[in-house]
Amino acid sequence: MAQSIQNLNKVHIVAVCGTLMGAFAVYLKRKGIEITGSDQNVYPPMSDVLKNGGVETFNGYRAENITSMSKKPDLVIIGNVISANNPEARAAIDGGYKYTSLPEAMQNFLLQDTTNLVVAGTHGKTTTSSMLAHTLVKCKKDPCYFIGGVSQDLPFSFQVSNTSRGNYFVLEGDEYDTAFWDKVPKFNHYLPDHAILTSIEYDHADIYPDLAAVVRAFEGLLSRIRPGGHLIACYDFEEVKNICKNAKVQLITYGATPETGATFTPGKVRVDQDVTRFEILENKKPVTELTIQLPGQHNVMNAIAVWLECRKIGISDAEIIAGLKSFRGVKRRQEVRGEVRGITVIDDFAHHPTAVRETLRALKLKYSGHRMIAVFEPRSATSRRKVFQKDYADAFAEADLTFISSPYDQSRILVQDQFSSDELVGDLLKGGRKAELMVSIESGITQVVHQAQSGDVIAVLSNGGFGGFVSKLLDALKS
């Protein structure tokens, strides 16, 4: 049963600097609710979002962040990165405070009365959901949206405009688990009316033992699509094709080529430094042409998914074309952070080998003729493990020079399961590619600056703060 946000006066959020948690915090603040939050990893862009949104934050997790408040919170929202023995979570639970997870709060407070468009998949869900929300805004549909990234176009990652039935709510559907007491995917709480499924590959090795477990999670999403809804699925992935055989709603398929069995595919693709133009074919026959500002085959596929969704819900082709053409992307997705002495520095979230490969291919197309330098931090739960140890050597094939940092904290990973940056550098060198190991942020910046020259494009790839590497690199290049 839907609950009212209006009944809340004060909310405390544990792990407030997560992109979605931070966006929700700012939304609640805009609703006039007193908001506090805590975290131990504060870095841009979310730290800036919270500060600008007026959210008071505490550095580090302590019981007194909750217990010493003069006004008791009506609700404590606990992030999925928080463990059961976290002192702040324990203070809330053992102290009898009302607590919940973010997905559960979304389900209870917001999603009962909207038409929910859930975008899910191993890859592309942040860009695709941002692109969809932006296009709906441009088409004057006044959508709600909840996205795990900071858009270049939308004023917030989280927007609730009107929760009346029929109003669209775009949700980035994350397959990661909800909370330590609720070990199911976040999207299990999102009440989908329609869904986009971009991809299925193995990821999140800390919570999924194998690919079969990941597939089961996405099967659960498909089973939750409300009657009368539809599923838009990318047939470039065999696991997607397999689970779609059991879809109980209308199925609309897209893929890179007709050989995938997909109904909708891209035709001629033309790329220059500023835009990508491509046809959309339906059963090999041209039906329209789109222009987007983002490079790369993966973004062509993202745009096709959005075009299909907008078309299906009744938006005119001309409106969709205009909306997609104006979309500028998401921060930390091929984001140009600066140019110094003719050297372009790009910040990107890529960490899975497929994402690394596609990102570098896209940048290589956009910056044709330029030397591509990749800097990679193994930071995600999967990339710090040896699951894809050998796959990364192929993922960096597009780079002319690659720097691999030592992995982020591996203290909780068994030694035999740990990813080895030394081994990856060795594999790259054996394959005839140029690569260097970075043992620290400071020494790594020195290495990159020493090698960089005018005309280079430096792509810094990490799904975390990377010790402020991008900002420090830009400062070092200026000096």
Side-chain angles (χ1 to χ4, degrees):
M1 180 177 294
Q3 302 174 28
S4 176
I5 283 179
Q6 304 305 322
N7 295 329
L8 300 174
N9 294 304
K10 181 177 176 61
V11 174
H12 181 72
I13 299 178
V14 186
V16 72
C17 288
T19 305
L20 292 177
M21 295 287 272
F24 191 60
V26 173
Y27 162 72
L28 293 177
K29 181 69 175 179
R30 295 202 310 270
K31 298 293 287 185
I33 299 168
E34 184 180 348
I35 304 296
T36 57
S38 59
D39 213 304
Q40 61 182 3
N41 293 311
V42 181
Y43 59 86
M46 188 46 63
S47 58
D48 296 333
V49 171
L50 291 169
K51 182 178 178 180
N52 294 336
V55 176
E56 180 185 358
T57 58
F58 304 115
N59 187 21
Y61 300 121
R62 295 179 296 274
E64 52 266 32
N65 288 345
I66 295 177
T67 59
S68 64
M69 291 182 184
S70 57
K71 185 194 297 184
K72 182 178 179 179
D74 302 303
L75 182 66
V76 177
I77 300 175
I78 301 173
N80 73 323
V81 299
I82 299 301
S83 62
N85 61 0
N86 178 280
E88 215 160 303
R90 291 262 54 95
I93 296 169
D94 299 339
Y97 293 78
K98 186 177 180 180
Y99 68 94
T100 188
S101 66
L102 178 57
E104 196 171 44
M106 292 285 297
Q107 178 178 344
N108 291 335
F109 288 108
L110 295 173
L111 300 179
Q112 304 281 342
D113 299 320
T114 49
T115 299
N116 304 317
L117 312 178
V118 177
V119 179
T122 306
H123 312 294
K125 53 185 172 286
T126 301
T127 298
T128 305
S129 54
S130 298
M131 190 183 288
L132 176 57
H134 168 80
T135 303
L136 291 175
V137 168
K138 288 295 183 181
C139 295
K140 297 181 171 47
K141 295 300 180 181
D142 194 27
C144 308
Y145 49 84
F146 186 38
I147 299 163
V150 179
S151 172
Q152 302 277 20
D153 303 282
L154 303 171
F156 309 104
S157 296
F158 189 22
Q159 175 68 30
V160 176
S161 51
N162 179 4
T163 56
S164 62
R165 188 65 187 153
N167 194 48
Y168 297 114
F169 205 132
V170 179
L171 296 135
E172 178 177 342
D174 190 354
E175 70 272 25
Y176 205 80
D177 59 12
T178 298
F180 64 77
W181 67 90
D182 189 12
K183 307 300 283 186
V184 300
K186 294 175 187 172
F187 55 51
N188 277 20
H189 293 282
Y190 287 169
L191 309 179
D193 288 278
H194 312 299
I196 292 173
L197 182 54
T198 66
S199 50
I200 298 177
E201 286 196 287
Y202 185 55
D203 200 2
H204 307 303
D206 53 328
I207 63 170
Y208 290 111
D210 50 35
L211 178 59
V214 176
V215 170
R216 285 193 296 272
F218 285 105
E219 287 175 333
L221 172 66
L222 269 59
S223 72
R224 287 173 169 79
I225 300 175
R226 290 168 169 171
H230 59 257
L231 169 65
I232 297 170
C234 182
Y235 266 27
D236 291 342
F237 298 84
E238 286 301 317
E239 289 75 16
V240 172
K241 295 171 72 171
N242 289 336
I243 70 171
C244 284
K245 295 174 183 176
N246 299 317
K248 304 300 184 184
V249 296
Q250 182 185 8
L251 176 64
I252 304 165
T253 62
Y254 67 105
T257 67
E259 285 69 34
T260 62
T263 300
F264 295 92
T265 58
K268 297 177 181 177
V269 178
R270 302 182 301 284
V271 180
D272 59 36
Q273 282 203 341
D274 299 317
V275 298
T276 301
R277 296 184 178 87
F278 57 96
E279 292 179 321
I280 295 181
L281 310 181
E282 181 177 2
N283 294 318
K284 301 183 181 181
K285 296 179 180 179
V287 291
T288 194
E289 181 174 276
L290 299 181
T291 299
I292 58 174
Q293 297 185 43
L294 309 180
Q297 177 71 16
H298 61 301
N299 283 317
V300 168
M301 304 310 295
N302 294 338
I304 291 176
V306 171
W307 177 81
L308 286 168
E309 184 65 90
C310 291
R311 182 178 185 244
K312 182 62 181 173
I313 62 178
I315 301 175
S316 73
D317 204 47
E319 290 178 292
I320 304 170
I321 290 169
L324 286 171
K325 187 175 182 178
S326 63
F327 179 68
R328 295 180 297 164
V330 180
K331 287 183 181 293
R332 303 209 66 211
R333 271 65 173 184
Q334 301 175 20
E335 179 188 6
V336 177
R337 289 283 299 275
E339 184 178 329
V340 181
R341 304 199 320 265
I343 301 167
T344 302
V345 178
I346 292 172
D347 191 3
D348 196 274
F349 199 75
H351 50 280
H352 188 285
T354 299
V356 169
R357 183 187 69 240
E358 294 304 317
T359 295
L360 293 177
R361 281 181 178 173
L363 292 174
K364 198 74 171 178
L365 278 173
K366 182 174 182 178
Y367 296 96
S368 177
H370 294 256
R371 188 172 68 148
M372 179 65 61
I373 298 176
V375 182
F376 178 59
E377 179 194 33
R379 189 182 183 100
S380 72
T382 305
S383 64
R384 286 182 288 136
R385 291 168 166 83
K386 67 177 184 181
V387 178
F388 294 122
Q389 181 73 57
K390 297 300 182 183
D391 298 84
Y392 280 109
D394 291 330
F396 286 99
E398 298 291 342
D400 299 294
L401 171 61
T402 301
F403 294 90
I404 307 295
S405 80
S406 298
Y408 187 68
D409 181 17
Q410 293 176 301
S411 60
R412 297 184 181 181
I413 302 173
L414 295 174
V415 173
Q416 62 267 29
D417 295 332
Q418 293 178 3
F419 175 84
S420 170
S421 294
D422 290 277
E423 184 178 335
L424 174 55
V425 169
D427 287 344
L428 289 167
L429 292 172
K430 289 175 186 175
R433 299 169 187 138
K434 296 180 180 178
E436 294 184 19
L437 179 69
M438 292 168 31
V439 297
S440 71
I441 299 297
E442 292 69 25
S443 63
I445 288 171
T446 299
Q447 289 170 261
V448 175
V449 171
H450 177 73
Q451 293 275 10
Q453 55 195 30
S454 181
D456 286 349
V457 176
I458 303 175
V460 182
L461 311 176
S462 171
N463 72 320
F466 201 173
F469 189 93
V470 172
S471 297
K472 292 175 181 178
L473 175 61
L474 286 167
D475 289 341
L477 289 170
K478 293 173 185 175
S479 61

